[in-house]
Amino acid sequence: MAIPVGLFVILSHFYGAEVDTLFVVAVLTILGLSVSDTIVIFDRIRENLRNQAAVAKINFSEIVGKSLEQSYVRSICTSLTVIIVLLVLFFFGPSSTSILP
């Protein structure tokens, strides 16, 4: 979250970029995906803790690693879907969503 906002601050300082509704939408999209991924990973850890506690004694760090591995594919697919939608909007959407003159 800090990286896109910081990059925008630098661009606004040197090139005079202004905050508009598209920037707010982009920041909220990044925030929403980040929160969603965090919730999914914590839920996966909780589920794996419950399942592994009954089977065998496994180290907590191994359970967290396993949970992250299970969540990678979902996170990548979600990010790619958002990128595809944004590219379609950029190239085929109305002129208000394009930064080209």
Side-chain angles (χ1 to χ4, degrees), residues 31-94:
L31 181 65
L33 290 174
S34 175
V35 169
S36 174
D37 283 344
T38 303
I39 290 170
V40 166
I41 290 171
F42 280 125
D43 187 52
R44 183 74 63 172
I45 291 171
R46 182 182 52 85
E47 181 180 321
N48 286 336
L49 278 173
R50 186 180 309 143
N51 292 341
Q52 297 300 326
V55 176
K57 276 245 188 216
I58 296 180
N59 191 0
F60 181 72
S61 62
E62 292 175 6
I63 292 175
V64 170
K66 180 181 177 183
S67 301
L68 285 172
E69 288 175 6
Q70 293 171 346
S71 302
Y72 284 148
V73 174
R74 180 191 179 278
S75 296
I76 290 171
C77 288
T78 303
S79 298
L80 286 176
T81 302
V82 170
I83 289 171
I84 290 169
V85 168
L86 290 175
L87 287 174
V88 168
L89 282 174
F90 180 76
F91 289 113
F92 301 112

